[in-house]
Amino acid sequence: MTDKPHDYCGIFGVYNHPEAAILTYYGLHALQHRGQESAGIVTSYYDINKGRYVMPMHKDFGLVLSVFDDSKVFKKELIGRSAIGHNRYSTSGSSKNPANIQPFRVHYRNGNLAIGHNGNLTNARELRERFRDEGVLFQSTSDTELILHLISHSQKETVVDQVLDALNQIEGAYCLMILTDEQLIAVRDPNGFRPLALGMIDDSYTVASETCAFDIIGAEYIRDIEPGEILIIDREADVNHEPKSFYLEPKPGTGSSQCIFEYVYFSRPDSKIFGENVDKIRRNLGKQLAKEHPMDQVINYVSGENRPIVISVPDSSNTAAIGYAHESQKNGYDCKYDIGLIRNHYVGRTFISPGQKQRDQKVRTKFNPVRGVLEGRSVIIVDDSIVRGTTSRYLVDMIREANPKEVHFLVSSPPITHPCFYGMDFPDPDELIANKFNGNTEAIAKEIGVDSLRYLSPEGLVSAVKEANDSHHSYCTACFTGDYPVPVNFGVEKEENEIV
């Protein structure tokens, strides 16, 4: 329904807490924006009657609130003091396969093992072909299953050593939540593509894709899990309040490559990722946009005339639009940030308008222009990104119906020109509007129906992010530049290598 890259997935885990499943439920609810197709929770406890550890699991298609709408699930099924959960987004071709819903759970020679994965393995095809040659049967099309097979086939003795053995054979972008009979293991890939944070609630450790999951349960954010870190949370860590860590080295020639699109669009503005508040970064993107594209170069600005307005495409571009307006005001322009579009938050992903075949009807059910704000005004729309351009066109058409004086479009990121192989699901390159028009912004502006269109430069994007968090991190900008920091098997097909 939206013309945006699809989210990755969200993972959450908690160790040794009497309400582990409930905390995981709330954590997943806070991470719902990272995946809306399915959700699942696995818990672990020692069953006295059976004389062994067991891992009950509940998962299904749908949003968190609908998958876990029966309180009996937590009272009778998901018991245990440790749990992991997963919100899933998949690529096309695999979304209807229930076998792909995570977490995955297996029983092997060392006991029970469950895993939740956020990312994409770039050597998945090579691993899958190797296992096929060995006669391994697959239950899903997800690359997460490959990690399970690598662990269970390892000849190492302990679970931790088996996990280490498996991780040394995978490449790409990944964050993992692994639950064993007695441990919670959190993993972040050596390049640090994905965010992953460590928190604590009631003296129990918790791990989440974003810190907004800590806020909803009242947990304290401790720190980010470092790139390449394998964090072992067990009874010893509980007693000593010091989890044990191992580290993976990045592949030769590669280093820290944190996904810059997390700041642009994916993460919630109230989260702290890669060590910095997302809201702060997005405001700085808006400020950088104002520096690169001053208001008098965007609109027919005349001081003292009808005050121009800056509006956002809610909700992900709200703070960037505020940043642009405030920086413009600081530089002497008499403009105003205003609410020009209202978003309907009650439209589900499967909304159907009976008898309505027009594609723009889907946009109209989600957004509505505020005529009194827009009429007769010079309007600057700020959005975080443009992918295909279809939704942008429908939004502009709606705004035009409110009879503004002029309409201009600013984007707080560069043109998206390349596919992502590290966990984002972009359309094929020939569907990207920036490629369709060979980067010609005037042609793109005409296509979406605005008087002018301007993007933030790749250099400005990186500069704004680094300036806001005062860091020396390196960022992955492959979707804007085609510079892939980790080698990619470009022959991987989406159906065989599901993004999770």
Side-chain angles (χ1 to χ4, degrees):
M1 190 167 105
T2 59
D3 184 30
K4 295 291 183 183
H6 285 294
D7 302 354
Y8 314 133
C9 289
I11 54 177
F12 185 92
V14 61
Y15 180 82
N16 193 25
H17 193 284
E19 295 184 327
I22 291 291
L23 294 177
T24 303
Y25 164 78
Y26 283 114
L28 292 182
H29 180 65
L31 298 171
Q32 187 72 85
H33 60 288
R34 299 188 72 90
Q36 299 91 38
E37 289 189 352
S38 63
I41 295 175
V42 174
T43 61
S44 175
Y45 71 97
Y46 187 82
D47 190 319
I48 298 177
N49 296 324
K50 295 181 179 179
R52 59 182 175 83
Y53 280 93
V54 295
M55 281 190 178
M57 177 170 63
H58 184 88
K59 57 183 182 178
D60 203 350
F61 291 111
L63 302 178
V64 174
L65 291 177
S66 61
V67 173
F68 301 98
D69 62 348
D70 188 349
S71 61
K72 294 179 182 177
V73 171
F74 299 100
K75 294 178 181 178
K76 297 183 178 180
E77 185 179 349
L78 294 177
I79 56 178
R81 297 180 65 92
S82 296
I84 63 171
H86 186 272
N87 285 334
R88 172 174 167 268
Y89 166 73
S90 70
T91 56
S92 59
S94 57
S95 60
K96 295 182 179 179
N97 185 353
N100 288 328
I101 302 176
Q102 295 190 42
F104 290 166
R105 175 192 60 186
V106 295
H107 183 81
Y108 75 124
R109 69 181 186 278
N110 281 54
N112 298 292
L113 185 73
I115 186 171
H117 173 206
N118 169 30
N120 199 36
L121 303 186
T122 55
N123 65 334
R125 170 169 286 188
E126 173 190 330
L127 293 171
R128 189 177 293 273
E129 290 176 352
R130 190 182 91 190
F131 279 126
R132 280 175 176 164
D133 291 341
E134 296 174 0
V136 173
L137 299 177
F138 293 95
Q139 303 298 316
S140 73
T141 60
S142 171
D143 56 5
T144 309
E145 186 178 357
L146 298 171
I147 304 172
L148 279 180
H149 286 304
L150 288 170
I151 296 173
S152 62
H153 283 68
S154 173
Q155 298 303 306
K156 303 294 184 180
E157 291 298 321
T158 68
V159 175
V160 173
D161 286 339
Q162 292 164 357
V163 170
L164 285 166
D165 188 23
L167 294 175
N168 281 315
Q169 299 177 67
I170 64 176
E171 299 174 5
Y174 55 87
C175 281
L176 305 175
M177 205 76 74
I178 300 172
L179 184 65
T180 74
D181 289 336
E182 298 181 334
Q183 297 159 317
L184 177 65
I185 303 174
V187 183
R188 190 172 170 208
D189 72 74
N191 299 93
F193 283 101
R194 305 281 153 262
L196 197 62
L198 177 68
M200 179 166 281
I201 178 171
D202 301 330
D203 293 326
S204 295
Y205 285 104
T206 181
V207 181
S209 295
E210 295 181 34
T211 60
C212 61
F214 297 155
D215 296 336
I216 197 172
I217 62 173
E220 177 189 2
Y221 165 73
I222 298 176
R223 64 176 178 87
D224 280 3
I225 291 173
E226 297 296 323
E229 185 175 7
I230 305 165
L231 189 74
I232 313 298
I233 304 172
D234 53 17
R235 289 173 182 168
E236 183 179 340
D238 252 6
V239 172
N240 299 328
H241 292 290
E242 189 63 45
K244 187 181 298 184
S245 292
F246 300 91
Y247 287 88
L248 298 167
E249 291 295 325
K251 299 295 180 183
T254 70
S256 173
S257 304
Q258 298 175 152
C259 174
I260 206 163
F261 214 86
E262 288 279 357
Y263 284 133
V264 172
Y265 172 68
F266 281 125
S267 294
R268 271 179 40 168
D270 53 331
S271 284
K272 186 174 186 177
I273 64 163
F274 305 146
E276 190 52 77
N277 295 321
V278 176
D279 174 82
K280 179 182 178 182
I281 298 290
R282 287 186 185 160
R283 287 174 187 266
N284 216 46
L285 295 181
K287 292 178 181 178
Q288 182 66 26
L289 200 58
K291 294 174 183 177
E292 293 187 8
H293 305 293
M295 187 161 290
D296 60 357
Q297 295 181 17
V298 175
I299 64 172
N300 297 317
Y301 181 83
V302 178
S303 180
E305 289 193 357
N306 200 5
R307 197 178 189 190
I309 61 169
V310 178
I311 69 171
S312 64
V313 180
D315 290 313
S316 56
S317 62
N318 290 353
T319 47
I322 292 172
Y324 180 85
H326 285 181
E327 184 69 15
S328 297
Q329 292 165 355
K330 178 182 174 183
N331 293 331
Y333 296 103
D334 183 22
C335 64
K336 178 185 178 183
Y337 171 77
D338 213 330
I339 308 299
L341 287 169
I342 300 296
R343 180 181 176 185
N344 181 359
H345 291 268
Y346 302 99
V347 178
R349 288 170 58 86
T350 57
F351 180 88
I352 297 174
S353 179
Q356 178 58 267
K357 295 182 179 180
Q358 291 96 325
R359 293 183 64 189
D360 67 344
Q361 185 64 27
K362 292 184 178 180
V363 178
R364 290 177 181 274
T365 60
K366 190 171 184 179
F367 297 104
N368 197 51
V370 184
R371 180 175 293 271
V373 170
L374 301 170
E375 191 169 10
R377 308 293 284 273
S378 295
V379 178
I380 298 175
I381 307 169
V382 176
D383 202 359
D384 49 75
S385 58
I386 301 178
V387 184
R388 292 183 179 92
T390 50
T391 297
S392 299
R393 174 75 207 200
Y394 297 139
L395 284 173
V396 171
D397 287 346
M398 291 168 57
I399 290 171
R400 290 283 192 192
E401 291 172 5
N403 197 28
K405 179 181 177 182
E406 53 185 316
V407 180
H408 302 267
F409 209 106
L410 295 179
V411 186
S412 61
S413 65
I416 297 171
T417 54
H418 292 75
C420 174
F421 296 93
Y422 307 127
M424 285 191 295
D425 185 28
F426 283 135
D428 294 330
D430 57 0
E431 295 182 73
L432 298 171
I433 194 169
N435 287 340
K436 181 179 178 181
F437 292 99
N438 297 314
N440 186 327
T441 55
E442 291 185 2
I444 300 173
K446 184 177 180 180
E447 177 71 9
I448 67 174
V450 293
D451 297 301
S452 71
L453 168 70
R454 290 171 173 81
Y455 290 92
L456 187 64
S457 67
E459 300 79 15
L461 172 64
V462 174
S463 174
V465 170
K466 288 191 173 183
E467 177 186 327
N469 63 14
D470 193 28
S471 75
H472 301 287
H473 294 301
S474 296
Y475 295 94
C476 176
T477 60
C479 56
F480 305 121
T481 63
D483 183 13
Y484 295 97
V486 173
V488 174
N489 178 355
F490 290 95
V492 172
E493 297 179 3
K494 289 182 179 180
E495 285 78 11
E496 290 191 349
N497 189 22
E498 180 195 4
I499 294 174
V500 288

